[in-house]
């Protein structure tokens, strides 16, 4: 790679929901002392999780591993109602870091269920957000992962059917599956706006703009991160070679051979420090310049939960954690 240029996608990296979730854990540690328990990885990023472990967070999957009276944070992906109930029964001091855009889907599902709706959820089986959303109800929600699944589901009725989606899907794939749902169930109720969140949409749009301008797209993100995986797929679908890496160490020099323009982006859970380290590594390997492409400026910010806001009794001081 001689004298290559790096093109940075915009926007990239942290979204408002991830920012908020990390801040909730940091503030809980500052206010209540270590350790703070977190159900599931707060966001799907190895660096973020390891950093919070060092600061005093303990990540668990099973609430039985949390001692009585402890402070517990739910991850940004949300939790099923059963987990909420169990946490309450065990008497934990709970802070909910579920992204407000995921909570919005939970509220909608509960509201429509009361009106008698059944649901078709478009999402990835086993992803914690899907488990959380499906777990808002005791039944009546059918998961489809791909177009072929649409023929396999058997709702009890078709008069009141509604579609919900995971927030971090491929916008194009979700549209294709939605169209198949609509073809089989013409009366289906679709969300007023796609449940796919602004951050997922904007990062995919930025990769669509970036990909035709470069020879290679590098996505910074952890393997478990749904939205990061989708960014790599978007680039590949446009015919651009693309790889996802968790850190600069995973960058393979042979990917760069003969490449004059390297595109770089990051999933919504990947911190900027990882992008800066990848840029450093690319410079060591011969990149000579960095240019940020034009893109949407994001101004979304979500409020913190009660009890952790600045100005709450016992104001939280984070200076020793950063
Ligand atoms: S990717 Fe979207 S839904 Fe997920 S935390 Fe970020 S803003 Fe919320």
């Amino acid at each position: 790679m001689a004298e290559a240029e790096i093109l940075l996608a915009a926007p990239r990296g942290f979204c408002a929901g991830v920012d908020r979730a990390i801040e909730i854990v940091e503030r809980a540690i500052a206010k209540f002392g270590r350790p703070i328990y977190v159900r599931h990885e707060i966001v799907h990023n190895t660096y973020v999780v390891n950093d919070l472990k060092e600061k005093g967070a303990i990540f668990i999957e099973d609430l039985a591993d949390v001692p009585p009276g402890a402070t517990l944070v739910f991850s940004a992906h949300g939790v099923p109602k059963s987990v909420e109930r169990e946490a309450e029964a065990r008497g934990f001091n709970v802070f909910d870091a579920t992204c407000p855009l995921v909570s919005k889907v939970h509220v909608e599902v509960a509201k429509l269920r009361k009106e008698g709706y059944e649901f078709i959820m478009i999402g990835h089986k086993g992803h914690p957000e899907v488990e959380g959303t499906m777990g808002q109800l005791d039944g009546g929600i059918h998961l489809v992962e791909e177009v072929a699944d649409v023929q396999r589901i058997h709702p009890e009725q078709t008069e009141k059917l509604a579609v919900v989606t995971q927030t971090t899907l491929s916008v194009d794939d979700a549209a294709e599956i939605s169209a198949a749902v609509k073809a089989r169930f013409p009366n289906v109720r679709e969300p007023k706006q796609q449940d796919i969140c602004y951050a997922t949409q904007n990062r995919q749009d930025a990769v669509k703009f970036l990909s035709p301008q470069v020879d290679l797209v590098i996505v910074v993100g952890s393997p478990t991160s749904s939205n990061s995986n989708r960014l790599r797929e978007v680039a590949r679908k446009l015919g651009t070679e693309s790889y996802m890496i968790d850190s600069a160490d995973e960058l393979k020099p042979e990917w760069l051979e003969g490449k004059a323009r390297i595109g770089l982006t990051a999933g919504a859970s990947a911190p900027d420090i990882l992008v800066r380290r990848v840029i450093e590594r690319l410079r060591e390997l011969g990149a000579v310049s960095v240019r940020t492409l034009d893109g949407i400026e994001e101004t979304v910010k979500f409020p913190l939960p009660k009890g952790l806001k600045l100005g709450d009794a016992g104001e939280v001081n984070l200076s020793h954690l950063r």
Side-chain angles (χ1 to χ4, degrees):
M1 179 180 68
E3 313 234 318
E5 184 183 21
I6 303 168
L7 268 62
L8 290 174
R12 62 180 179 281
F14 275 10
C15 60
V18 164
D19 252 339
R20 173 179 179 270
I22 295 170
E23 196 167 351
I24 287 172
V25 178
E26 289 183 339
R27 283 175 182 264
I29 294 168
K31 185 162 181 176
F32 302 103
R34 48 165 66 202
I36 292 296
Y37 290 79
V38 183
R39 184 189 177 273
H40 195 71
E41 292 191 340
I42 185 74
V43 298
H44 285 153
N45 186 268
T46 314
Y47 178 94
V48 169
V49 167
N50 288 339
D51 182 54
L52 290 174
K53 276 185 191 164
E54 276 175 26
K55 289 172 176 169
I58 295 177
F59 292 88
I60 52 96
E61 296 296 328
D62 187 343
L63 299 199
D65 296 331
V66 182
T71 295
L72 172 69
V73 177
F74 293 148
S75 80
H77 315 96
V79 296
K81 280 280 177 218
S82 57
V83 170
E84 264 178 48
R85 285 194 289 266
E86 186 183 345
E88 200 184 334
R90 288 178 182 265
F92 302 135
N93 177 28
V94 174
F95 289 97
D96 188 358
T98 303
C99 177
L101 298 180
V102 174
S103 300
K104 193 175 128 229
V105 177
H106 291 183
V107 169
E108 183 74 358
V109 162
K111 191 184 112 212
L112 289 178
R113 186 64 177 160
K114 278 197 189 130
E115 294 174 21
Y117 276 85
E118 260 179 272
F119 297 88
I120 296 167
M121 172 147 204
I122 305 174
H124 300 290
K125 192 170 184 206
H127 189 281
E129 183 190 327
V130 169
E131 288 176 352
T133 300
M134 294 185 74
Q136 296 304 301
L137 308 177
D138 292 330
I141 185 160
H142 310 269
L143 181 64
V144 299
E145 293 191 271
E146 54 185 30
V147 169
D149 292 339
V150 175
Q151 299 306 323
R152 296 189 192 120
I153 54 171
H154 300 288
E156 283 176 14
Q157 46 78 40
T158 56
E159 291 304 299
K160 285 190 163 184
L161 263 185
V163 172
V164 283
T165 71
Q166 191 179 332
T167 56
T168 51
L169 297 179
S170 148
V171 174
D172 298 335
D173 291 353
E176 203 185 321
I177 300 170
S178 283
V181 170
K182 188 99 182 147
R184 181 171 171 205
F185 306 109
N187 293 332
V188 74
R189 177 187 168 125
E190 291 174 296
K192 278 193 211 92
Q193 283 182 314
Q194 284 267 22
D195 296 322
I196 294 174
C197 75
Y198 79 97
T200 297
Q201 172 92 53
N202 290 348
R203 278 150 194 69
Q204 287 178 20
D205 287 348
V207 167
K208 286 179 184 171
F209 183 57
L210 169 75
S211 294
Q213 304 184 53
V214 294
D215 304 308
L216 169 73
V217 171
I218 303 287
V219 179
V220 182
S222 291
T224 43
S225 163
S226 173
N227 81 88
S228 305
N229 277 291
R230 303 295 82 78
L231 295 179
R232 183 191 47 193
E233 285 169 13
V234 166
R236 285 188 181 172
K237 273 193 184 160
L238 290 171
T240 310
E241 193 177 330
S242 180
Y243 302 99
M244 193 174 74
I245 55 174
D246 214 355
S247 69
D249 305 339
E250 293 182 359
L251 196 67
K252 294 209 170 86
E254 57 264 33
W255 295 340
L256 311 172
E257 276 166 24
K259 309 288 193 319
R261 284 178 156 192
I262 314 295
L264 184 56
T265 188
S269 45
D272 195 48
I273 186 172
L274 298 182
V275 175
R276 293 201 301 272
R277 287 180 183 169
V278 172
I279 293 173
E280 275 167 33
R281 181 76 188 119
L282 286 169
R283 282 191 184 278
E284 284 166 14
L285 292 166
V288 292
S289 62
V290 183
R291 180 158 58 94
T292 302
L293 295 179
D294 288 339
I296 285 180
E297 197 185 327
E298 293 177 340
T299 53
V300 179
K301 190 147 177 52
F302 297 127
L304 291 165
K306 248 173 98 184
L308 290 177
K309 288 181 191 163
L310 280 176
D312 285 343
E315 183 165 317
V316 184
N317 182 353
L318 296 181
S319 54
H320 65 293
L321 284 173
R322 292 208 162 139

